[in-house]
Amino acid sequence: WNDISLIIPNGICEKSNVKTSFNSNKITGVFIGRLDIYQKGLDLFIEACARLKDELDKYNCKINIYGPDIDGSKGKLEKSIITSQLQNVVYINDGIFDDEKEKKQLESDFFILTSRFEGHPMGLIEALSYGLPCIVTTGSNMADEIREADAGWTADTDVSSITKALKTMLSEKGKLSMKSKNALAL
């Protein structure tokens, strides 16, 4: 009914600061988003980390989760981390924004989005725009694109598959730089 089209971009601009190097003696992962345990699959992710605790320790892998508390989720996640004995691997932090958010992404080696469902995951798209390889589930709504671009690792939305993706990422640490370039291209 209308021959005028308008395409509105998703709000992610090309970054002037992007990931150019990766940690040599450790691996740092980051999640930035709402601490909505169910939707973001944070329960699945922590259980996957618990299954891989020894390997995460071996690779000196540290994972920072940043986000605002949702109905007591911060306390629930902290309790789960203690129960799983992951206090030296997974850290829960308050939400971050602007320059601090950019700094934390550039200091990280990979981004995590293990969601059960997403619409259009802006946090994931932003991480890609910094050149962060990503671990995503099919529920992230971008697993096919990440797989096709070789911009990270993909998993089904379950603990076993997320565990396998994390394990593969650790064993492919040498591919972070190449996957970073692919993330930027995507």
Side-chain angles (χ1 to χ4, degrees):
W1 58 271
N2 185 344
D3 18 339
I4 300 173
S5 299
L6 176 66
I7 298 173
I8 301 172
N10 61 16
I12 300 297
C13 299
E14 187 174 344
K15 305 293 185 217
S16 56
N17 295 322
V18 296
K19 190 76 179 161
T20 57
S21 63
F22 291 84
N23 293 304
S24 59
N25 60 346
K26 64 180 178 175
I27 301 174
T28 304
V30 66
F31 165 88
I32 301 172
R34 290 184 331 279
L35 299 184
D36 185 327
I37 295 171
Y38 184 77
Q39 179 185 350
K40 301 299 183 181
L42 295 171
D43 54 335
L44 304 174
F45 180 71
I46 289 173
E47 176 61 29
C49 289
R51 291 184 183 184
L52 279 180
K53 183 183 180 323
D54 291 340
E55 287 186 64
L56 293 167
D57 285 337
K58 175 184 164 188
Y59 283 92
N60 194 20
C61 184
K62 308 296 181 199
I63 298 157
N64 289 293
I65 296 175
Y66 295 95
D69 191 13
I70 304 293
D71 297 326
S73 59
K74 184 176 181 184
K76 290 173 189 172
L77 289 168
E78 288 170 338
K79 183 177 179 183
S80 180
I81 288 166
I82 291 167
T83 301
S84 301
Q85 299 181 0
L86 291 169
Q87 304 94 307
N88 66 331
V89 176
V90 181
Y91 305 90
I92 303 297
N93 305 276
D94 291 331
I96 53 174
F97 306 93
D98 304 323
D99 293 342
E100 183 181 10
K101 183 177 177 185
E102 177 179 75
K103 178 179 184 270
K104 295 300 182 186
Q105 289 192 77
L106 292 172
E107 290 173 352
S108 299
D109 297 309
F110 66 97
F111 185 85
I112 302 141
L113 188 63
T114 54
S115 294
R116 286 181 168 89
F117 55 92
E118 287 288 338
H120 197 60
M122 296 304 294
L124 174 57
I125 296 169
E126 183 177 43
L128 292 166
S129 75
Y130 283 110
L132 276 177
C134 300
I135 293 178
V136 300
T137 55
T138 51
S140 75
N141 205 20
M142 283 193 62
D144 291 341
E145 290 81 2
I146 298 290
R147 185 181 314 103
E148 288 169 15
D150 197 17
W153 302 267
T154 62
D156 291 329
T157 309
D158 66 68
V159 174
S160 294
S161 190
I162 294 167
T163 302
K164 183 179 176 184
L166 269 169
K167 187 173 186 171
T168 302
M169 183 276 301
L170 292 170
S171 70
E172 294 182 349
K173 181 183 180 208
K175 295 183 178 181
L176 288 169
S177 183
M178 178 268 299
K179 288 182 182 280
S180 172
K181 290 177 179 128
N182 295 343
L184 287 169
L186 177 59

